[in-house]
Amino acid sequence: MTSPAAREPGLSGKGPRKSHAELEAALAQKTGPRVLPVREGLAELFPWGGLRRGGTVAVRGSAALLLSLLAEASAHGSWVAVVGLPDLGIVAAAELGIAVDRLALVPRPGVDLPAVVAALLDGFDLVAMSVDRVGDAHARRLSARARNRGAVLLPFGGSWPGADIELTCARGRWSGLGVGHGHLSARQVDVLARGRGAAARPSRAPFTLQGGSPHAALTALPFEHKFEQASPSRSHLS
Amino acid sequence: MTRLLVLWCPDWPVVAATAAAGLAVGTPAVVVSANRVVAVNAPARTEGVQQAMRRREAQGRCPDIAVLPDDPDRDARLFEPVAAAVEELAVGVEVVGPGVVAVPARGPAGYFGTEAAAAERLIDQVAARAGAESLVGIADGLFAATLAARRGLVVEAGRSAEFLAPLGVHELAGGTGAADRAELVDLLRRLGIRTLGAFAALDPVDVTSRFGADAGHAHRLARGLEQRPPSRRRPPVDLSVTHTPDPPIDRVDAAAFAARGLGERFHAGLAVHGLACTRLAIHASTGNGEELSRVWRCAEPLTPTGIADRVRWQLDGWLRGSRRPSAGITVLRLEPQEMVDGHALQLGLWQGGHDEQAERAARAMVHVQGLLGPEGVLTPVLAGGRGPADQVTLVPWGDERTPAAPPARPWPGRLPTPSPATVPQRPVVVSVVDRDGAEVGVTGRFVLSGQPDEVTIAGAVRRVVAWAGPWPADERWWELGAGRRRARLQVLLAEKSEQDSQEALLLVRENEKWSVEGVYD
């Protein structure tokens, strides 16, 4: 067992100066981790391996992608706020792993949207918001606020001038649904990331957005063709 | 069963009567009703005077005895200072009858450390404030607690029945405020049932059927059960606080300053009564006679800072909001709409270990409620249901999180996972046609009239590559006007190009119309 004295020099002023990593670790103890975790498969899109506190991550085109980004941090105890997105599917959010008891919704902020987001950035780790009706000046101010407060701002649905990184979905392919049978069960997408600074190089990663393993989901069901030619009146009964 | 603390003033009618007559302490005295002694004080007792004696007999044993008339009103009136003295230290005081008060033991016991310490404090308090001697007993249930008070005992939780068992059946008749059970007691004695334990051992059904309903109540008491829950006495004091700012508040910084002082005053006013506020109404009137008010609900009792924050946020919201009043605020009033007993607060103060993140988030949400109103911030609760929208109940932050329908039941017809990530608030009407261009319908037996081939959304025609359904949902048909018959269909629309994503929709047919209920985006 290490005696307290043996560890002491690192902390006293006389010892060697603390490395950057040590400082980060010390900071993390005070304010929580600097990088909030994201689901496996999405992490490689971020140069920091997750959602960096103080950052702005814009998401376009897929609400499920937004929810997937929030899920891991929410499951690890972070509080999530969603502003101005009344259409968000809460059941899907819960299925993707968001803890709904730590989820706050402000569906209709109206003209107060910037003020509401600013207030929520004070208390929440993750704030997702609609980009509708937010001017450039407000957008930059909110990104600066997020940086200041150590929260992550996730504008959804359009371009955002102050975004560190922007994620979009492409080549989304569903499996599990046949013609008159089965049900939507899994979705494979390509997630595209491009940004500035450390994230300037565009990257692309295949990702199972919803459902089980891509292998099982991508394989066509063996009996799928049996009913293809079945009469319309029978197919719905299967 | 509630654990009650009962404070009993021995020989209260005599104590009250001697005090009202202005007799010296130590004078032997009796209270007499219908020529019979109903209460005796200690000096008279040492002379051999006993309850139920004739007046003449009592006077015979003690010639200089003071004979005082019976007056329940006087007893009750003089008892009020005692009740008030108890209320200063404990909340939820119930006056059982003149001479006996009951309070829930949890609050004072938590506050003073132990039940014995609380009992001691109460006895001292009553002696100091009301000048009355008292005994305190603590037990589960009013009956056991009253008997414990006669003996000055603290009966451990859950052992009331054991405590009662060896006591004589005559205790059933002696309870203050209880029905006259002398006849029952006499009957039981003649039957050879001499202790409460023996009476309790009888079958409750037999007791009720043989001796009637009142004996049934008495039997419940003998078993150590509650005859009825005590009704709490609420202090009828006006606890609202009014502030008249001069000059009128029209700036946010002035509002913040006013809020702090007001919050502290309000909280102190409640704390004196051992209460804490969980619903706070903030009223403001402006120089032009506008009246503004809003009620704040809180999950936990408000602290002075919590009250000050809410007042500040509310004023902030009013002064900065779109419906800004036309003049400065001249009167500001805080009114408690719902209060909880001190024990909630007393315990909360010392044991309220809280997650720091949750507290920060809660403050942010309350701040937003100040801007948008309490309904502005919602938290979802998963509920039971078939459609994606039915499975969520949105509750304003601070309200109790109860789902509209129990989620754990089987919901036949519920769609399999995954659920749509977008659920439009207003359904988007679409048309679904089959290969021949005829509208696809659903029959009364939930059978599709054709295979969906194309879907037209907002004028754009999209080809269907895969589909499944219908999932029937025939809900609440038993309730007039609330019944809904719906059929749901999943469709997968063809991608526009190799790089494009496939679009999957959840369509629902109701009243002969298809609409988009969910988008799997």
Side-chain angles (χ1 to χ4, degrees):
Chain A
M1 200 176 172
T2 332
S3 74
R7 278 183 285 151
E8 226 17 63
L11 297 168
S12 72
K14 284 182 193 165
R17 299 180 84 189
K18 275 198 250 178
S19 72
H20 185 71
E22 274 177 317
L23 280 170
E24 286 263 293
L27 202 65
Q29 276 194 334
K30 278 193 174 165
T31 60
R34 295 291 302 153
V35 176
L36 298 169
V38 290
R39 258 170 69 181
E40 216 178 313
L42 288 174
E44 58 216 54
L45 293 166
F46 297 93
W48 318 281
L51 296 166
R52 190 177 53 167
R53 281 179 180 276
T56 303
V57 179
V59 182
R60 298 177 81 154
S62 168
L65 179 61
L66 174 70
L67 295 173
S68 303
L69 272 177
L70 301 171
E72 196 72 15
S74 169
H76 280 83
S78 289
W79 282 71
V80 177
V82 177
V83 185
L85 297 167
D87 296 347
L88 201 66
I90 304 301
V91 184
E95 282 166 4
L96 286 165
I98 292 181
V100 290
D101 50 351
R102 287 193 295 273
L103 174 63
L105 306 172
V106 185
R108 290 189 177 74
V111 291
D112 294 325
L113 187 123
V116 167
V117 173
L120 290 173
L121 284 171
D122 288 351
F124 284 76
D125 284 343
L126 298 150
V127 180
M129 62 177 291
S130 152
V131 299
D132 290 349
R133 288 177 294 168
V134 180
D136 274 11
H138 272 311
R140 285 182 205 286
R141 215 170 296 151
L142 288 176
S143 281
R145 177 101 172 187
R147 204 170 308 127
N148 199 353
R149 301 288 168 174
V152 183
L153 184 66
L154 298 115
F156 175 71
S159 64
W160 188 264
D164 300 330
I165 191 163
E166 186 177 296
L167 301 183
T168 44
C169 266
R171 282 169 55 84
R173 293 293 177 270
W174 279 96
S175 54
L177 192 67
V179 178
H181 59 87
H183 63 83
L184 295 169
S185 61
R187 174 157 52 146
Q188 189 73 15
V189 296
D190 281 359
V191 182
L192 275 64
R194 63 167 184 224
R196 14 168 248 189
R201 203 153 53 114
S203 59
R204 187 180 185 114
F207 180 58
T208 311
L209 197 48
Q210 279 157 317
S213 83
H215 181 71
L218 284 173
T219 315
L221 299 168
F223 53 82
E224 186 159 346
H225 298 287
K226 281 190 190 168
F227 296 104
E228 201 99 295
Q229 302 305 319
S231 71
S233 61
R234 289 193 60 81
S235 56
H236 62 269
L237 290 171
S238 57
Chain B
M1 189 157 40
T2 30
R3 202 153 165 74
L4 286 177
L5 184 154
V6 166
L7 183 128
W8 176 62
C9 295
D11 311 320
W12 182 254
V14 172
V15 174
T18 43
L23 297 176
V25 181
T27 319
V30 284
V31 168
V32 172
S33 165
N35 225 17
R36 292 270 178 191
V37 172
V38 290
V40 192
N41 68 359
R45 206 173 282 125
T46 54
E47 301 283 341
V49 180
Q50 282 174 2
Q51 221 170 338
M53 255 179 193
R54 282 169 179 282
R55 185 176 67 165
R56 190 57 63 79
E57 201 180 347
Q59 281 170 327
R61 295 204 178 182
C62 178
D64 56 346
I65 199 163
V67 177
L68 302 162
D70 183 33
D71 181 0
D73 289 351
R74 170 202 63 204
D75 296 351
R77 195 173 60 245
L78 292 174
F79 193 61
E80 182 57 30
V82 177
V86 174
E87 199 161 51
E88 276 179 33
L89 292 187
V91 280
V93 170
E94 185 190 22
V95 178
V96 180
V100 183
V101 271
V103 278
R106 211 180 122 210
Y111 191 74
F112 295 114
T114 63
E115 291 179 335
E120 208 172 294
R121 277 298 299 266
L122 281 174
I123 293 171
D124 289 350
Q125 169 86 0
V126 168
R129 293 291 163 92
E133 275 179 49
S134 56
L135 287 171
V136 167
I138 300 175
D140 299 342
L142 184 61
F143 180 66
T146 311
L147 293 186
R150 298 256 157 97
R151 290 154 184 83
L153 289 175
V154 175
V155 178
E156 276 172 54
R159 306 188 65 167
S160 280
E162 261 172 72
F163 161 69
L164 293 172
L167 304 179
V169 280
H170 63 272
E171 299 287 4
L172 286 172
T176 322
D180 187 19
R181 298 208 177 96
E183 214 172 301
L184 174 72
V185 168
D186 188 42
L187 181 63
L188 289 176
R189 274 207 185 123
R190 279 185 283 134
L191 288 170
I193 298 167
R194 290 180 192 284
T195 63
L196 291 175
F199 183 41
L202 300 177
D203 190 325
V205 179
D206 291 347
V207 171
T208 314
S209 56
R210 175 66 184 79
F211 303 116
D214 181 60
H217 292 319
H219 188 251
R220 276 183 67 80
L221 295 178
R223 280 187 296 154
L225 302 176
E226 191 100 60
Q227 189 181 353
R228 63 184 174 91
S231 61
R232 302 282 167 77
R233 173 183 137 132
R234 290 251 167 251
V237 202
D238 182 17
L239 293 167
S240 60
V241 170
T242 310
H243 175 56
T244 339
D246 185 29
I249 299 174
D250 52 2
R251 283 195 337 271
V252 173
D253 52 343
F257 186 72
R260 192 180 304 160
L262 195 59
E264 260 161 34
R265 252 173 62 207
F266 179 71
H267 186 265
L270 289 175
V272 163
H273 295 277
L275 295 169
C277 180
T278 50
R279 257 176 85 177
L280 168 71
I282 304 175
H283 303 279
S285 343
T286 68
N288 288 351
E290 287 151 299
E291 293 283 337
L292 304 163
S293 78
R294 175 152 284 161
V295 177
W296 287 82
R297 281 171 282 217
C298 309
E300 284 148 43
L302 284 166
T303 57
T305 355
I307 297 168
D309 279 350
R310 276 157 186 81
V311 175
R312 181 161 53 84
W313 291 329
Q314 188 56 65
L315 292 177
D316 206 5
W318 279 331
L319 294 174
R320 283 202 186 148
S322 41
R323 284 154 303 171
R324 194 192 146 89
S326 59
I329 291 165
T330 50
V331 179
L332 193 58
R333 190 157 54 87
L334 303 188
E335 196 181 295
Q337 293 228 329
E338 195 176 88
M339 287 170 286
V340 289
D341 285 357
H343 60 77
L345 183 68
Q346 284 169 358
L347 293 182
L349 273 175
W350 315 117
Q351 300 177 358
H354 252 308
D355 174 12
E356 194 239 343
Q357 277 198 0
E359 214 153 281
R360 266 176 51 218
R363 280 174 66 89
M365 284 188 269
V366 171
H367 190 169
V368 174
Q369 285 182 320
L371 293 165
L372 302 176
E375 316 291 323
V377 182
L378 306 170
T379 57
V381 189
L382 294 181
R386 295 181 177 86
D390 304 340
Q391 290 175 43
V392 180
T393 309
L394 297 174
V395 185
W397 166 252
D399 274 14
E400 205 177 336
R401 292 168 56 87
T402 38
R409 306 277 159 74
W411 292 95
R414 166 142 69 171
L415 286 145
T417 58
S419 299
T422 298
V423 182
Q425 294 279 295
R426 282 200 205 87
V428 183
V429 176
V430 295
S431 85
V432 181
V433 293
D434 65 9
R435 212 159 287 178
D436 306 326
E439 162 109 25
V440 175
V442 181
T443 67
R445 290 175 175 263
F446 290 110
V447 173
L448 286 183
S449 68
Q451 288 210 27
D453 188 53
E454 279 177 354
V455 174
T456 312
I457 310 169
V461 180
R462 307 284 302 270
R463 201 170 60 77
V464 173
V465 291
W467 59 275
W471 277 270
D474 191 0
E475 294 169 300
R476 307 196 79 78
W477 45 263
W478 56 89
E479 212 174 296
L480 199 69
R484 293 186 82 174
R485 249 178 99 82
R486 282 177 286 187
R488 295 193 169 88
L489 191 67
Q490 283 185 338
V491 292
L492 188 61
L493 305 178
E495 61 272 25
K496 289 170 191 148
S497 68
E498 174 59 23
Q499 286 302 310
D500 190 37
S501 289
Q502 285 178 330
E503 206 175 327
L505 299 177
L506 174 64
L507 303 180
V508 64
R509 187 167 176 88
E510 190 178 12
N511 299 330
E512 313 270 297
K513 268 196 206 87
W514 288 105
S515 55
V516 178
E517 198 185 22
V519 183
Y520 296 88
D521 68 339

